[in-house]
Amino acid sequence: MGIHHDISRRHMLAMSAAAGGLAIGGVRASAQAAKKIEQLDPALDKIIATSEPIKELASGFGGDLGPAEGPVWVKEGGYLLFSDIHNSRRMKYTPGQGVSVFLEPTNRANGLTRDLQGRLLAAEHDTRRVTRRELDGSLTVIAASFQGRRFNRPNDVVVKSDGAIYFTDPGGPAVPEQWDLNHTGVYRVSADLGTLTLLVNDFIVPNGLAFSPDESILYINDSRRGHIRAFDMAPNGTLARQTDRVFADLRGADPGVPDGMKVDVAGNVYCGGSGGMFILDPKGKKLGRIVHGQPATTNLGFGGDDWKTLFFTSRVHLGSVNLKIAGIPVPVAKKA
């Protein structure tokens, strides 16, 4: 019912710069050269061996209208959840068993994470909101509007150890309506859900975001500009705006832009970029690049019993590679 209208609308959304899993400057490019791990600095040896195999776990997601996205590991269950955005499905990958449909529909959810209580948070495209799945299965709306105007299309979401929720909201529908926001933004919702704060609104396409291990820095991607920006955190949980700096530029000749992003326990940053996934040290130095053969890296997440498996998604597939350093667990541990 209404399928022709929906297809037309989805094509419009797919053309929008804010569509999940942006692959600006190469969305239709063919797959790159053979899979490999490129060493750009000797320090990479402590993180991953250049001989480490890059595995393809499943494929056939998203297609032309949008990507696989938002991988998040559920340690107590031993499985990974991820989004198949434009098919409006939440997928489940269990090692040794493969992929199955975990939930549908999902309002074409994109980024996923878990809060301190293990509840699943999702950035939903169709409803233009951030939601939380309670332990009893009910749904709580975390945020749906700012100052009376609907969000554009929330993209990624993370939770700080104090329970505060941070999310990005890049561009929205191809034809904005009068009650839509006229800016992109990065937002904070207090742990009690009582206060919504606009942190910054000068990104073109704010996308993936991640905290440093001590949560003193928040990294935020600007996919359109092809770089990661970093902000020191203020004591009240907002950004110390005067500390705004470009942490790393991940543009290049190959397709792919900064999209999803994660950080390991040593403070190294992992992010999609030109030609694959970059591994950067805490100062932004490029240590290596994981070339997985797909034209875009849409998101990534740590998992496995020891948090040393790096799962990653592209427009159409789910892959993984093993590391020597563990990622920051999700849910993040509450700090004393």
Short mmCIF file of all heavy atoms in Angstrom, two decimals, residues 206-270:
data_model
loop_
_atom_site.label_atom_id
_atom_site.label_comp_id
_atom_site.label_asym_id
_atom_site.label_seq_id
_atom_site.Cartn_x
_atom_site.Cartn_y
_atom_site.Cartn_z
N PRO A 206 27.45 16.54 9.89
CA PRO A 206 27.94 15.84 11.09
C PRO A 206 27.51 14.39 11.03
O PRO A 206 26.36 14.09 10.72
CB PRO A 206 27.26 16.60 12.23
CG PRO A 206 26.01 17.15 11.63
CD PRO A 206 26.36 17.47 10.20
N ASN A 207 28.43 13.49 11.32
CA ASN A 207 28.14 12.08 11.12
C ASN A 207 28.58 11.28 12.33
O ASN A 207 28.07 11.47 13.41
CB ASN A 207 28.81 11.61 9.81
CG ASN A 207 28.17 10.39 9.21
OD1 ASN A 207 27.75 9.48 9.91
ND2 ASN A 207 28.08 10.35 7.89
N GLY A 208 29.56 10.37 12.19
CA GLY A 208 29.98 9.54 13.31
C GLY A 208 30.60 10.37 14.43
O GLY A 208 31.19 11.42 14.20
N LEU A 209 30.49 9.86 15.65
CA LEU A 209 31.09 10.53 16.80
C LEU A 209 31.52 9.49 17.83
O LEU A 209 30.96 8.40 17.90
CB LEU A 209 30.15 11.56 17.40
CG LEU A 209 28.88 11.15 18.15
CD1 LEU A 209 28.22 12.40 18.76
CD2 LEU A 209 27.88 10.45 17.28
N ALA A 210 32.57 9.84 18.59
CA ALA A 210 33.13 8.91 19.56
C ALA A 210 33.93 9.68 20.60
O ALA A 210 34.52 10.72 20.30
CB ALA A 210 34.04 7.88 18.87
N PHE A 211 33.96 9.14 21.82
CA PHE A 211 34.74 9.74 22.90
C PHE A 211 36.12 9.09 23.00
O PHE A 211 36.30 7.92 22.68
CB PHE A 211 34.03 9.56 24.24
CG PHE A 211 32.88 10.50 24.46
CD1 PHE A 211 31.58 10.06 24.32
CD2 PHE A 211 33.11 11.83 24.82
CE1 PHE A 211 30.51 10.91 24.52
CE2 PHE A 211 32.05 12.70 25.03
CZ PHE A 211 30.75 12.24 24.88
N SER A 212 37.08 9.87 23.48
CA SER A 212 38.37 9.31 23.87
C SER A 212 38.16 8.43 25.10
O SER A 212 37.12 8.53 25.76
CB SER A 212 39.37 10.43 24.19
OG SER A 212 38.89 11.22 25.28
N PRO A 213 39.12 7.56 25.44
CA PRO A 213 38.91 6.64 26.57
C PRO A 213 38.56 7.32 27.89
O PRO A 213 37.75 6.81 28.66
CB PRO A 213 40.25 5.89 26.66
CG PRO A 213 40.77 5.91 25.27
CD PRO A 213 40.37 7.25 24.72
N ASP A 214 39.16 8.49 28.16
CA ASP A 214 38.85 9.20 29.40
C ASP A 214 37.70 10.19 29.24
O ASP A 214 37.38 10.93 30.18
CB ASP A 214 40.09 9.90 29.95
CG ASP A 214 40.62 10.99 29.01
OD1 ASP A 214 40.01 11.23 27.95
OD2 ASP A 214 41.65 11.61 29.36
N GLU A 215 37.12 10.23 28.07
CA GLU A 215 35.98 11.09 27.75
C GLU A 215 36.29 12.58 27.85
O GLU A 215 35.39 13.41 27.98
CB GLU A 215 34.76 10.74 28.62
CG GLU A 215 34.28 9.31 28.43
CD GLU A 215 33.05 8.97 29.25
OE1 GLU A 215 32.90 9.55 30.34
OE2 GLU A 215 32.25 8.12 28.81
N SER A 216 37.55 12.90 27.73
CA SER A 216 37.93 14.32 27.75
C SER A 216 37.83 14.95 26.38
O SER A 216 37.86 16.18 26.25
CB SER A 216 39.37 14.47 28.28
OG SER A 216 40.30 13.87 27.38
N ILE A 217 37.70 14.12 25.33
CA ILE A 217 37.63 14.61 23.95
C ILE A 217 36.45 13.94 23.25
O ILE A 217 36.22 12.74 23.42
CB ILE A 217 38.92 14.28 23.17
CG1 ILE A 217 40.14 14.94 23.83
CG2 ILE A 217 38.82 14.72 21.72
CD1 ILE A 217 41.46 14.48 23.26
N LEU A 218 35.71 14.72 22.48
CA LEU A 218 34.69 14.18 21.61
C LEU A 218 35.13 14.40 20.16
O LEU A 218 35.41 15.52 19.76
CB LEU A 218 33.33 14.85 21.84
CG LEU A 218 32.17 14.34 20.96
CD1 LEU A 218 31.88 12.86 21.24
CD2 LEU A 218 30.92 15.18 21.17
N TYR A 219 35.22 13.29 19.42
CA TYR A 219 35.55 13.35 17.99
C TYR A 219 34.25 13.32 17.19
O TYR A 219 33.35 12.54 17.50
CB TYR A 219 36.40 12.14 17.59
CG TYR A 219 37.69 12.00 18.36
CD1 TYR A 219 37.82 11.06 19.38
CD2 TYR A 219 38.80 12.80 18.05
CE1 TYR A 219 39.01 10.92 20.08
CE2 TYR A 219 39.99 12.65 18.75
CZ TYR A 219 40.09 11.72 19.76
OH TYR A 219 41.27 11.59 20.45
N ILE A 220 34.16 14.17 16.17
CA ILE A 220 32.97 14.23 15.33
C ILE A 220 33.40 14.34 13.87
O ILE A 220 34.21 15.18 13.51
CB ILE A 220 32.08 15.46 15.68
CG1 ILE A 220 31.80 15.53 17.18
CG2 ILE A 220 30.78 15.40 14.89
CD1 ILE A 220 31.14 16.82 17.63
N ASN A 221 32.83 13.48 13.03
CA ASN A 221 33.14 13.53 11.61
C ASN A 221 32.31 14.60 10.90
O ASN A 221 31.14 14.80 11.23
CB ASN A 221 32.82 12.18 10.94
CG ASN A 221 33.76 11.09 11.38
OD1 ASN A 221 34.92 11.34 11.66
ND2 ASN A 221 33.25 9.87 11.44
N ASP A 222 32.92 15.25 9.93
CA ASP A 222 32.17 16.06 8.96
C ASP A 222 32.40 15.40 7.61
O ASP A 222 33.43 15.60 6.97
CB ASP A 222 32.65 17.51 8.95
CG ASP A 222 31.68 18.42 8.20
OD1 ASP A 222 31.03 17.95 7.24
OD2 ASP A 222 31.56 19.60 8.58
N SER A 223 31.44 14.56 7.20
CA SER A 223 31.63 13.75 6.01
C SER A 223 31.86 14.58 4.76
O SER A 223 32.65 14.23 3.89
CB SER A 223 30.43 12.82 5.80
OG SER A 223 30.33 11.90 6.85
N ARG A 224 31.14 15.68 4.63
CA ARG A 224 31.27 16.50 3.43
C ARG A 224 32.65 17.12 3.33
O ARG A 224 33.23 17.22 2.25
CB ARG A 224 30.19 17.58 3.42
CG ARG A 224 30.22 18.49 2.20
CD ARG A 224 29.84 17.76 0.93
NE ARG A 224 28.44 17.40 0.89
CZ ARG A 224 27.87 16.73 -0.08
NH1 ARG A 224 28.58 16.32 -1.11
NH2 ARG A 224 26.58 16.41 -0.05
N ARG A 225 33.21 17.53 4.44
CA ARG A 225 34.54 18.15 4.42
C ARG A 225 35.65 17.11 4.45
O ARG A 225 36.82 17.45 4.26
CB ARG A 225 34.69 19.12 5.60
CG ARG A 225 33.80 20.36 5.50
CD ARG A 225 34.09 21.33 6.64
NE ARG A 225 33.41 22.59 6.46
CZ ARG A 225 32.44 23.04 7.26
NH1 ARG A 225 32.01 22.31 8.28
NH2 ARG A 225 31.89 24.22 7.03
N GLY A 226 35.31 15.86 4.72
CA GLY A 226 36.29 14.79 4.68
C GLY A 226 37.25 14.75 5.85
O GLY A 226 38.33 14.18 5.74
N HIS A 227 36.84 15.33 6.99
CA HIS A 227 37.76 15.32 8.13
C HIS A 227 37.04 15.01 9.45
O HIS A 227 35.81 15.01 9.53
CB HIS A 227 38.54 16.63 8.22
CG HIS A 227 37.72 17.86 8.45
ND1 HIS A 227 38.01 19.08 7.86
CD2 HIS A 227 36.61 18.09 9.20
CE1 HIS A 227 37.13 19.98 8.25
NE2 HIS A 227 36.27 19.41 9.05
N ILE A 228 37.87 14.75 10.46
CA ILE A 228 37.40 14.56 11.83
C ILE A 228 37.76 15.80 12.63
O ILE A 228 38.90 16.27 12.58
CB ILE A 228 38.07 13.34 12.50
CG1 ILE A 228 37.87 12.08 11.67
CG2 ILE A 228 37.53 13.14 13.92
CD1 ILE A 228 38.72 10.90 12.16
N ARG A 229 36.79 16.34 13.35
CA ARG A 229 37.08 17.44 14.27
C ARG A 229 37.08 16.91 15.70
O ARG A 229 36.42 15.92 16.02
CB ARG A 229 36.06 18.56 14.11
CG ARG A 229 36.31 19.40 12.88
CD ARG A 229 35.12 20.23 12.46
NE ARG A 229 34.73 21.24 13.42
CZ ARG A 229 33.67 22.05 13.26
NH1 ARG A 229 32.92 21.94 12.15
NH2 ARG A 229 33.36 22.96 14.16
N ALA A 230 37.84 17.58 16.56
CA ALA A 230 37.93 17.17 17.96
C ALA A 230 37.65 18.37 18.86
O ALA A 230 38.04 19.50 18.55
CB ALA A 230 39.32 16.61 18.26
N PHE A 231 36.96 18.09 19.96
CA PHE A 231 36.63 19.12 20.95
C PHE A 231 36.98 18.59 22.34
O PHE A 231 36.66 17.44 22.66
CB PHE A 231 35.14 19.45 20.94
CG PHE A 231 34.62 20.01 19.65
CD1 PHE A 231 34.27 19.16 18.60
CD2 PHE A 231 34.43 21.37 19.50
CE1 PHE A 231 33.76 19.66 17.42
CE2 PHE A 231 33.93 21.89 18.32
CZ PHE A 231 33.59 21.04 17.26
N ASP A 232 37.59 19.43 23.15
CA ASP A 232 37.71 19.09 24.57
C ASP A 232 36.34 19.25 25.21
O ASP A 232 35.53 20.09 24.79
CB ASP A 232 38.71 20.01 25.26
CG ASP A 232 40.13 19.80 24.79
OD1 ASP A 232 40.38 18.81 24.07
OD2 ASP A 232 41.00 20.62 25.13
N MET A 233 36.07 18.43 26.21
CA MET A 233 34.78 18.48 26.88
C MET A 233 34.81 19.48 28.04
O MET A 233 35.79 19.57 28.78
CB MET A 233 34.42 17.10 27.43
CG MET A 233 34.25 16.04 26.35
SD MET A 233 32.91 16.41 25.19
CE MET A 233 31.49 16.35 26.29
N ALA A 234 33.73 20.22 28.18
CA ALA A 234 33.57 21.13 29.32
C ALA A 234 33.01 20.33 30.50
O ALA A 234 32.39 19.28 30.31
CB ALA A 234 32.63 22.27 28.95
N PRO A 235 33.20 20.81 31.73
CA PRO A 235 32.72 20.06 32.90
C PRO A 235 31.23 19.77 32.90
O PRO A 235 30.80 18.77 33.48
CB PRO A 235 33.10 20.99 34.07
CG PRO A 235 34.28 21.78 33.57
CD PRO A 235 33.99 22.00 32.10
N ASN A 236 30.43 20.60 32.24
CA ASN A 236 28.98 20.39 32.23
C ASN A 236 28.51 19.47 31.11
O ASN A 236 27.31 19.33 30.87
CB ASN A 236 28.25 21.73 32.15
CG ASN A 236 28.50 22.47 30.84
OD1 ASN A 236 29.30 22.04 30.01
ND2 ASN A 236 27.83 23.60 30.67
N GLY A 237 29.45 18.84 30.41
CA GLY A 237 29.09 17.89 29.36
C GLY A 237 28.92 18.50 27.99
O GLY A 237 28.63 17.78 27.03
N THR A 238 29.10 19.80 27.86
CA THR A 238 29.06 20.44 26.55
C THR A 238 30.47 20.50 25.99
O THR A 238 31.43 19.99 26.59
CB THR A 238 28.45 21.84 26.63
OG1 THR A 238 29.28 22.67 27.47
CG2 THR A 238 27.04 21.79 27.22
N LEU A 239 30.63 21.13 24.83
CA LEU A 239 31.92 21.22 24.18
C LEU A 239 32.62 22.52 24.53
O LEU A 239 31.99 23.58 24.56
CB LEU A 239 31.76 21.13 22.66
CG LEU A 239 30.97 19.94 22.11
CD1 LEU A 239 30.91 20.02 20.59
CD2 LEU A 239 31.57 18.63 22.57
N ALA A 240 33.92 22.44 24.80
CA ALA A 240 34.73 23.65 24.97
C ALA A 240 35.03 24.16 23.56
O ALA A 240 36.00 23.74 22.92
CB ALA A 240 36.01 23.33 25.74
N ARG A 241 34.19 25.03 23.05
CA ARG A 241 34.22 25.39 21.64
C ARG A 241 35.55 26.00 21.21
O ARG A 241 35.96 25.88 20.04
CB ARG A 241 33.07 26.36 21.32
CG ARG A 241 31.69 25.73 21.44
CD ARG A 241 31.44 24.72 20.33
NE ARG A 241 31.55 25.34 19.02
CZ ARG A 241 30.59 25.99 18.41
NH1 ARG A 241 29.39 26.10 19.00
NH2 ARG A 241 30.77 26.52 17.21
N GLN A 242 36.25 26.65 22.11
CA GLN A 242 37.52 27.27 21.75
C GLN A 242 38.60 26.24 21.45
O GLN A 242 39.65 26.56 20.90
CB GLN A 242 38.00 28.22 22.87
CG GLN A 242 38.47 27.52 24.15
CD GLN A 242 37.35 27.15 25.11
OE1 GLN A 242 36.17 27.20 24.74
NE2 GLN A 242 37.71 26.80 26.33
N THR A 243 38.34 24.96 21.78
CA THR A 243 39.33 23.89 21.53
C THR A 243 39.09 23.19 20.20
O THR A 243 39.79 22.23 19.87
CB THR A 243 39.30 22.85 22.66
OG1 THR A 243 38.03 22.16 22.62
CG2 THR A 243 39.46 23.50 24.02
N ASP A 244 38.10 23.63 19.45
CA ASP A 244 37.75 23.04 18.17
C ASP A 244 38.97 22.97 17.25
O ASP A 244 39.63 23.97 17.01
CB ASP A 244 36.65 23.89 17.53
CG ASP A 244 36.16 23.36 16.19
OD1 ASP A 244 36.60 22.27 15.78
OD2 ASP A 244 35.34 24.05 15.57
N ARG A 245 39.29 21.78 16.75
CA ARG A 245 40.42 21.63 15.82
C ARG A 245 40.15 20.46 14.88
O ARG A 245 39.36 19.57 15.19
CB ARG A 245 41.74 21.42 16.55
CG ARG A 245 41.91 20.09 17.29
CD ARG A 245 41.55 20.20 18.74
NE ARG A 245 41.92 19.05 19.55
CZ ARG A 245 41.42 18.83 20.77
NH1 ARG A 245 40.51 19.63 21.30
NH2 ARG A 245 41.83 17.78 21.46
N VAL A 246 40.82 20.48 13.73
CA VAL A 246 40.77 19.35 12.81
C VAL A 246 41.73 18.29 13.31
O VAL A 246 42.93 18.53 13.42
CB VAL A 246 41.12 19.78 11.37
CG1 VAL A 246 41.20 18.55 10.47
CG2 VAL A 246 40.07 20.75 10.83
N PHE A 247 41.20 17.14 13.65
CA PHE A 247 42.00 16.05 14.18
C PHE A 247 42.71 15.29 13.07
O PHE A 247 43.89 14.92 13.20
CB PHE A 247 41.10 15.11 14.98
CG PHE A 247 41.77 13.87 15.49
CD1 PHE A 247 42.65 13.93 16.55
CD2 PHE A 247 41.50 12.63 14.92
CE1 PHE A 247 43.28 12.78 17.03
CE2 PHE A 247 42.11 11.47 15.39
CZ PHE A 247 42.99 11.55 16.45
N ALA A 248 42.02 15.05 11.97
CA ALA A 248 42.61 14.32 10.84
C ALA A 248 41.80 14.57 9.59
O ALA A 248 40.57 14.68 9.64
CB ALA A 248 42.67 12.83 11.14
N ASP A 249 42.50 14.66 8.46
CA ASP A 249 41.86 14.78 7.15
C ASP A 249 41.99 13.43 6.46
O ASP A 249 43.10 12.92 6.28
CB ASP A 249 42.55 15.87 6.33
CG ASP A 249 41.79 16.24 5.06
OD1 ASP A 249 41.30 15.31 4.38
OD2 ASP A 249 41.70 17.43 4.75
N LEU A 250 40.86 12.84 6.07
CA LEU A 250 40.86 11.48 5.53
C LEU A 250 40.45 11.45 4.06
O LEU A 250 40.01 10.42 3.55
CB LEU A 250 39.95 10.58 6.37
CG LEU A 250 40.32 10.49 7.85
CD1 LEU A 250 39.39 9.53 8.58
CD2 LEU A 250 41.78 10.09 8.04
N ARG A 251 40.62 12.57 3.38
CA ARG A 251 40.33 12.61 1.95
C ARG A 251 41.47 11.97 1.16
O ARG A 251 42.58 11.81 1.66
CB ARG A 251 40.12 14.04 1.49
CG ARG A 251 38.87 14.71 2.06
CD ARG A 251 38.80 16.16 1.67
NE ARG A 251 39.88 16.94 2.27
CZ ARG A 251 40.07 18.24 2.08
NH1 ARG A 251 39.25 18.91 1.29
NH2 ARG A 251 41.08 18.86 2.65
N GLY A 252 41.18 11.60 -0.08
CA GLY A 252 42.19 11.01 -0.94
C GLY A 252 41.62 10.72 -2.31
O GLY A 252 40.47 11.06 -2.62
N ALA A 253 42.42 10.05 -3.12
CA ALA A 253 42.00 9.76 -4.49
C ALA A 253 40.95 8.66 -4.57
O ALA A 253 40.18 8.60 -5.52
CB ALA A 253 43.23 9.37 -5.32
N ASP A 254 40.92 7.78 -3.59
CA ASP A 254 39.97 6.67 -3.59
C ASP A 254 38.64 7.09 -2.98
O ASP A 254 38.59 8.02 -2.18
CB ASP A 254 40.53 5.48 -2.81
CG ASP A 254 41.79 4.92 -3.43
OD1 ASP A 254 41.81 4.77 -4.67
OD2 ASP A 254 42.75 4.62 -2.69
N PRO A 255 37.55 6.40 -3.32
CA PRO A 255 36.25 6.73 -2.73
C PRO A 255 36.20 6.42 -1.25
O PRO A 255 36.97 5.61 -0.73
CB PRO A 255 35.27 5.87 -3.52
CG PRO A 255 36.08 4.75 -4.07
CD PRO A 255 37.44 5.32 -4.32
N GLY A 256 35.26 7.06 -0.56
CA GLY A 256 35.08 6.85 0.86
C GLY A 256 35.31 8.12 1.65
O GLY A 256 36.21 8.91 1.33
N VAL A 257 34.48 8.33 2.68
CA VAL A 257 34.58 9.53 3.52
C VAL A 257 34.49 9.13 4.98
O VAL A 257 34.09 8.01 5.31
CB VAL A 257 33.43 10.52 3.19
CG1 VAL A 257 33.50 10.99 1.75
CG2 VAL A 257 32.07 9.89 3.50
N PRO A 258 34.86 10.03 5.90
CA PRO A 258 34.65 9.76 7.32
C PRO A 258 33.16 9.58 7.61
O PRO A 258 32.36 10.46 7.30
CB PRO A 258 35.21 11.01 8.01
CG PRO A 258 36.13 11.63 7.02
CD PRO A 258 35.53 11.33 5.69
N ASP A 259 32.80 8.44 8.13
CA ASP A 259 31.40 8.15 8.43
C ASP A 259 31.34 7.67 9.87
O ASP A 259 31.48 8.46 10.79
CB ASP A 259 30.88 7.11 7.42
CG ASP A 259 29.37 7.02 7.39
OD1 ASP A 259 28.73 7.32 8.41
OD2 ASP A 259 28.81 6.65 6.35
N GLY A 260 31.17 6.37 10.11
CA GLY A 260 31.23 5.87 11.47
C GLY A 260 32.64 5.91 12.02
O GLY A 260 33.62 5.95 11.28
N MET A 261 32.74 5.89 13.36
CA MET A 261 34.06 6.04 14.00
C MET A 261 34.02 5.39 15.39
O MET A 261 33.01 5.46 16.08
CB MET A 261 34.38 7.53 14.11
CG MET A 261 35.64 7.88 14.86
SD MET A 261 36.06 9.64 14.68
CE MET A 261 34.51 10.46 15.04
N LYS A 262 35.13 4.77 15.78
CA LYS A 262 35.26 4.19 17.11
C LYS A 262 36.67 4.41 17.63
O LYS A 262 37.59 4.73 16.87
CB LYS A 262 34.95 2.68 17.08
CG LYS A 262 33.51 2.33 16.70
CD LYS A 262 32.50 2.80 17.71
CE LYS A 262 31.08 2.38 17.35
NZ LYS A 262 30.56 3.07 16.16
N VAL A 263 36.86 4.18 18.94
CA VAL A 263 38.14 4.41 19.62
C VAL A 263 38.47 3.19 20.46
O VAL A 263 37.58 2.59 21.07
CB VAL A 263 38.07 5.67 20.51
CG1 VAL A 263 39.38 5.91 21.24
CG2 VAL A 263 37.71 6.90 19.67
N ASP A 264 39.76 2.81 20.48
CA ASP A 264 40.16 1.67 21.32
C ASP A 264 40.61 2.14 22.70
O ASP A 264 40.67 3.34 22.99
CB ASP A 264 41.19 0.79 20.61
CG ASP A 264 42.57 1.44 20.44
OD1 ASP A 264 42.90 2.38 21.19
OD2 ASP A 264 43.32 1.00 19.54
N VAL A 265 40.94 1.19 23.57
CA VAL A 265 41.27 1.52 24.96
C VAL A 265 42.57 2.30 25.09
O VAL A 265 42.83 2.94 26.11
CB VAL A 265 41.33 0.25 25.83
CG1 VAL A 265 39.96 -0.40 25.92
CG2 VAL A 265 42.38 -0.74 25.31
N ALA A 266 43.41 2.27 24.03
CA ALA A 266 44.66 3.02 24.04
C ALA A 266 44.49 4.41 23.43
O ALA A 266 45.45 5.18 23.36
CB ALA A 266 45.75 2.25 23.28
N GLY A 267 43.27 4.73 22.98
CA GLY A 267 43.01 6.05 22.42
C GLY A 267 43.20 6.16 20.92
O GLY A 267 43.06 7.25 20.36
N ASN A 268 43.51 5.04 20.25
CA ASN A 268 43.61 5.08 18.79
C ASN A 268 42.22 5.22 18.18
O ASN A 268 41.25 4.65 18.69
CB ASN A 268 44.28 3.80 18.28
CG ASN A 268 45.67 3.61 18.86
OD1 ASN A 268 46.54 4.46 18.70
ND2 ASN A 268 45.88 2.50 19.54
N VAL A 269 42.14 5.95 17.09
CA VAL A 269 40.86 6.25 16.45
C VAL A 269 40.76 5.47 15.14
O VAL A 269 41.70 5.44 14.34
CB VAL A 269 40.73 7.76 16.18
CG1 VAL A 269 39.44 8.07 15.43
CG2 VAL A 269 40.78 8.54 17.49
N TYR A 270 39.61 4.85 14.91
CA TYR A 270 39.35 4.05 13.72
C TYR A 270 38.20 4.71 12.96
O TYR A 270 37.13 4.95 13.53
CB TYR A 270 38.95 2.62 14.09
CG TYR A 270 39.98 1.89 14.91
CD1 TYR A 270 40.25 2.25 16.23
CD2 TYR A 270 40.70 0.82 14.38
CE1 TYR A 270 41.20 1.59 17.00
CE2 TYR A 270 41.66 0.14 15.13
CZ TYR A 270 41.90 0.53 16.44
OH TYR A 270 42.84 -0.13 17.19
#
